[in-house]
Amino acid sequence: MKLNKHLAFLAVLFFTGLSVAAQPTPEPGYFIFPIKPGQRNYLSGTMGEIRSNHFHGGLDIKTDQREGLEVYAAADGYISRVKQSTYGYGNIIYITHPNGLVTTYAHLLSYYKPLADHMLQKQYEKQTFELELFPEKGQFPVKKGDIIGLSGNTGGSGGPHLHFEIRDTEDKLYNPLLWGFKEIIDTTPPEIYSLGIQTLDIYGRVNQEFGRAEFRTKKTGTDYILPDTVFAHGLLGLEIQTNDMLDGATNKNGTQEVALFVNDKQVYSHYINKVPFELSRQVSQHINYNMYKMFGRTFQKSFVDHGNDLPLYNANERGGRVSVQADSVYRIRLVAKDSYNNATTLSFILKGQKPAFSKTLAKNVKQPELVYEVIGNILKVVATDTSATPRNVELYRGNKRMELVPSYTKNSASVCLYDLRAGIPEQISFCGISASLVNQKIIPPAQEVNYENKFVKIAFGEKSLYDTLYLDTRLEGDVYTIGDFFTPLHQAIKVTITPPKPFADKTKAAVYFLGTGRSRGLEGGTWNGNSITFTTRNMGKFKVMEDVKPPAIKLLGKSNVQIRFKISDDLSGINSFRAEINGQWLLMKYEHKTATIYSEKLDKSIPLSGEVVLKVRDNAGNEAIYKTTI
């Protein structure tokens, strides 16, 4: 293993704007491994992996594909926080250590007995399953190697494992592998599957085309190449699709470090060994968000994009963007490293080629066609023509008419480019075909902006957007479109709409986000007359829907020891539940992945006996009641 080089690396300043003093010095041996310490172990997740809306903030430690393994305190300290929840971390313990760091142990099946008894007592006192406590320093002291619980699959876990983190008191997350756990062995370098190259200005071209191009890599020995020279021009952003694998495991993990070299000079690097908890959502600017949302593929950018404040980067004055001049040759190297300094290199040649208009003969096109898309600040119009001679595209804005000369042709299509910062045209025309732009407004980032049209009001906060937004709003039937599904928001926007059809019982009606397929997510909202206002971190399609159906309750089993139910709701979702036996509150634990709730008695010596009443309420206020006798 080659971990020592990374430990030494922490002595130098790597993070933009952070001092060396802000970085804790890992002490190998200070922490023991929390699962089967001293034995060979494996990981299902590593620090910095890309998740749907955050960086993975620690290690996912395998537990032999089962629950119930003993979990050990990594070092001396005291339990400073404990939480039980059906979502997120599930059952989690926080231990504060004398060195000022905090270790967390998540998705636990159960806590060790003194803590479990304390939690159970407090749950009955407060009559709640969801509970978070902050014990005093001397209340639950622990020694290194003490058993603090059993591993499980609670909360948002997708399978049995232990999620283990190392944090500081400000909740900054650090890579636990820097503490030199010998239980994990890794001599396997990362893999590099694909390269993406994105044009970033109107003069950008990749193989004489504007937009994003993707190239599959070819492995040669332990490294990778692109077999062919890439011809390019203008300002470009590079993206890399890479994963890491550990020895003895088949699952793919994240790659912590990527560096970009142009003609042997480093112009960019990122190193994901520390992520501030409050900035983790900016993962959407670290990756190609469109590719992730469309295809589930993760491309890490090798440049610092607009609105990205993560302290992970060391880049030149262009933020790692590559400026390609005509007739120049650029030797490109992308180096991917894991936490153990195993490295893989992708090498290829970029050759500068001046954008040139090339005319191609028309194929058998029966009638003209017109399509467009917005890429960054650029409107790309593709006009398919029946003529062998390319023709101009017309733009209209107010009383102004502009002609766009084709930038290049591809097969039977002329491609025209227009910088939207000059103003959004209202209409595009070509050979008698017209298209109205749905983008009605330029919304700049880093400032408050209020937008309103005849069917929607939107308030953007100072930190809502990462970059300039060319806003598209539509009302089609009763479905509202606000932006698109592939645009990330950093902070929420406030939206007010007036549904075309009034709702008689507004207490049952709320706004829902329409995701992919048939998925629907409750956004909620507050009614004022016939208008409803809601906040959202989503862009895409929304609809006001009415939920008048109460939740469903099914008895799964009952005995003098425990009673179990399955609960579900088909629209707004479960909001709360309450069980009583003979009029006394009964703790029900909720496992949302299986939609089950099950009882736990405060006094295990007293059998469950009598009338049980369960009330389940959804987010629309509909309530279901189930009664049974034990």
Side-chain angles (χ1 to χ4, degrees):
M1 294 187 293
K2 307 173 185 177
L3 190 61
N4 289 338
K5 184 175 179 181
H6 264 336
L7 297 179
F9 180 74
L10 291 173
V12 296
L13 179 64
F14 190 87
F15 296 106
T16 303
L18 293 181
S19 64
V20 177
Q23 186 85 8
T25 301
E27 301 176 47
Y30 186 89
F31 295 120
I32 65 168
F33 207 64
I35 294 288
K36 298 191 290 188
Q39 301 180 45
R40 174 76 181 275
N41 217 317
Y42 303 91
L43 303 177
S44 59
T46 54
M47 178 73 181
E49 288 180 1
I50 309 301
R51 302 297 166 89
S52 60
N53 59 8
H54 66 281
F55 291 96
H56 187 243
L59 304 180
D60 285 344
I61 304 170
K62 295 185 178 182
T63 56
D64 301 335
Q65 298 182 327
R66 60 189 176 94
E67 302 180 38
L69 270 65
E70 294 173 335
V71 177
Y72 297 86
D76 293 355
Y78 66 96
I79 294 175
S80 54
R81 184 179 173 189
V82 60
K83 185 176 182 179
Q84 190 165 68
S85 173
T86 189
Y87 298 102
Y89 288 117
N91 300 334
I92 183 172
I93 291 174
Y94 299 73
I95 298 179
T96 297
H97 303 283
N99 65 356
L101 295 176
V102 177
T103 52
T104 68
Y105 312 78
H107 307 307
L108 298 173
L109 173 65
S110 60
Y111 308 117
Y112 77 119
K113 192 175 188 312
L115 183 60
D117 290 346
H118 179 70
M119 283 289 288
L120 185 62
Q121 181 69 42
K122 292 297 182 181
Q123 285 172 311
Y124 268 88
E125 287 179 11
K126 297 177 181 294
Q127 296 191 1
T128 180
F129 161 63
E130 301 262 348
L131 184 63
E132 184 174 20
L133 300 176
F134 297 86
E136 296 295 327
K137 185 174 182 179
Q139 192 170 2
F140 294 105
V142 296
K143 290 291 186 180
K144 179 190 287 189
D146 283 354
I147 297 172
I148 58 172
L150 299 178
S151 67
N153 186 34
T154 56
S157 172
H161 73 280
L162 176 73
H163 178 80
F164 177 66
E165 297 174 348
I166 296 178
R167 306 181 176 194
D168 62 18
T169 54
E170 296 178 349
D171 280 336
K172 292 184 177 67
L173 303 170
Y174 298 92
N175 186 355
L177 292 179
L178 296 177
W179 273 259
F181 296 116
K182 295 181 179 180
E183 289 82 358
I184 303 300
I185 299 175
D186 182 15
T187 61
T188 305
E191 297 178 335
I192 300 175
Y193 310 108
S194 297
L195 172 78
I197 304 179
Q198 175 70 58
T199 55
L200 299 177
D201 65 12
I202 200 167
Y203 307 105
R205 301 289 187 276
V206 182
N207 290 335
Q208 286 295 336
E209 292 189 37
F210 177 86
R212 184 180 184 276
E214 188 175 318
F215 304 87
R216 297 292 294 178
T217 63
K218 180 180 179 181
K219 193 169 186 178
T220 59
T222 58
D223 291 321
Y224 296 81
I225 63 169
L226 294 186
D228 300 318
T229 297
V230 178
F231 294 92
H233 187 270
L235 197 63
L236 307 176
L238 274 56
E239 308 163 355
I240 184 174
Q241 186 186 23
T242 175
N243 284 114
D244 187 40
M245 298 182 69
L246 283 72
D247 294 12
T250 58
N251 57 285
K252 292 179 171 59
N253 299 115
T255 301
Q256 278 70 43
E257 185 176 356
V258 172
L260 170 61
F261 296 83
V262 179
N263 292 334
D264 297 322
K265 181 180 179 181
Q266 181 174 312
V267 299
Y268 167 92
S269 65
H270 70 248
Y271 184 28
I272 313 173
N273 75 330
K274 176 183 178 180
V275 179
F277 199 80
E278 71 277 7
L279 295 180
S280 187
R281 190 175 176 87
Q282 291 192 19
V283 66
S284 57
Q285 292 302 93
H286 179 78
I287 63 172
N288 185 320
Y289 189 76
N290 276 19
M291 291 297 295
Y292 185 81
K293 296 293 280 187
M294 280 190 200
F295 307 111
R297 300 173 63 198
T298 301
F299 282 82
Q300 298 189 55
K301 296 173 184 175
S302 296
F303 62 98
V304 185
D305 209 347
H306 301 292
N308 187 344
D309 299 323
L310 289 164
L312 307 176
Y313 308 103
N314 185 8
N316 65 5
E317 66 279 2
R318 287 193 294 267
R321 296 166 180 82
V322 180
S323 180
V324 178
Q325 306 299 319
D327 302 321
S328 297
V329 175
Y330 303 83
R331 299 183 308 278
I332 307 296
R333 282 190 297 124
L334 280 157
V335 181
K337 293 183 182 179
D338 62 23
S339 295
Y340 291 86
N341 211 38
N342 303 300
T344 298
T345 299
L346 167 63
S347 303
F348 64 98
I349 298 295
L350 269 180
K351 187 171 183 180
Q353 186 179 64
K354 185 177 180 180
F357 179 80
S358 58
K359 184 172 70 174
T360 58
L361 295 175
K363 293 185 177 179
N364 186 22
V365 178
K366 295 181 179 180
Q367 60 183 19
E369 294 181 2
L370 181 66
V371 295
Y372 72 89
E373 63 177 322
V374 175
I375 302 175
N377 294 308
I378 307 303
L379 174 66
K380 179 181 178 181
V381 182
V382 180
T384 304
D385 205 345
T386 56
S387 170
T389 302
R391 290 181 278 193
N392 296 346
V393 169
E394 297 172 338
L395 300 182
Y396 295 89
R397 182 159 59 94
N399 296 323
K400 294 182 179 180
R401 172 182 172 275
M402 296 168 281
E403 288 198 10
L404 285 185
V405 177
S407 298
Y408 60 91
T409 59
K410 181 180 179 182
N411 298 326
S412 298
S414 298
V415 180
C416 302
L417 304 175
Y418 170 75
D419 194 328
L420 287 168
R421 288 172 293 187
I424 300 178
E426 298 160 0
Q427 194 174 67
I428 309 171
S429 182
F430 175 73
C431 294
I433 305 172
S434 294
S436 297
L437 265 73
V438 295
N439 308 83
Q440 297 109 345
K441 180 73 174 178
I442 300 175
I443 310 293
Q447 59 183 276
E448 295 183 358
V449 177
N450 293 310
Y451 171 78
E452 180 178 352
N453 62 25
K454 60 184 178 181
F455 54 82
V456 66
K457 296 180 182 179
I458 309 172
F460 294 87
E462 186 178 343
K463 296 184 179 180
S464 294
L465 300 177
Y466 293 109
D467 201 354
T468 301
L469 172 67
Y470 298 94
L471 180 63
D472 159 22
T473 60
R474 280 170 281 161
L475 174 59
E476 298 168 310
D478 56 359
V479 176
Y480 293 80
T481 297
I482 302 172
D484 66 66
F485 181 66
F486 308 106
T487 300
L489 292 175
H490 180 44
Q491 291 186 1
I493 59 175
K494 185 178 180 180
V495 180
T496 300
I497 57 178
T498 303
K501 179 182 176 181
F503 290 88
D505 186 357
K506 294 184 178 66
T507 64
K508 306 296 184 183
V511 179
Y512 292 81
F513 173 68
L514 307 181
T516 57
R518 299 185 63 185
S519 65
R520 299 169 298 190
L522 176 67
E523 298 284 356
T526 301
W527 286 95
N528 182 10
N530 290 324
S531 297
I532 184 169
T533 299
F534 64 100
T535 58
T536 181
R537 274 186 165 181
N538 294 309
M539 299 285 273
K541 296 183 181 299
F542 301 86
K543 182 178 180 179
V544 179
M545 303 174 71
E546 194 173 25
D547 183 1
V548 296
K549 185 178 179 180
I553 302 173
K554 180 181 179 181
L555 178 66
L556 297 178
K558 60 182 180 178
S559 70
N560 295 126
V561 176
Q562 187 182 79
I563 188 167
R564 298 170 61 245
F565 297 93
K566 187 179 185 70
I567 60 175
S568 60
D569 189 75
D570 65 354
L571 186 55
S572 61
I574 301 295
N575 176 273
S576 64
F577 51 86
R578 180 183 178 89
E580 293 182 355
I581 184 164
N582 300 323
Q584 300 296 312
W585 187 81
L586 177 66
L587 172 64
M588 301 297 291
K589 295 188 171 183
Y590 184 26
E591 176 49 68
H592 78 276
K593 295 188 292 293
T594 57
T596 56
I597 57 174
Y598 53 95
S599 66
E600 182 174 357
K601 299 180 292 182
L602 178 61
D603 187 341
K604 305 296 191 294
S605 66
I606 301 177
L608 284 180
S609 179
E611 184 186 47
V612 176
V613 179
L614 174 65
K615 297 179 180 180
V616 181
R617 179 171 294 185
D618 65 20
N619 285 298
N622 303 300
E623 186 177 77
I625 300 175
Y626 190 99
K627 296 181 180 181
T628 188
T629 301
I630 300 176

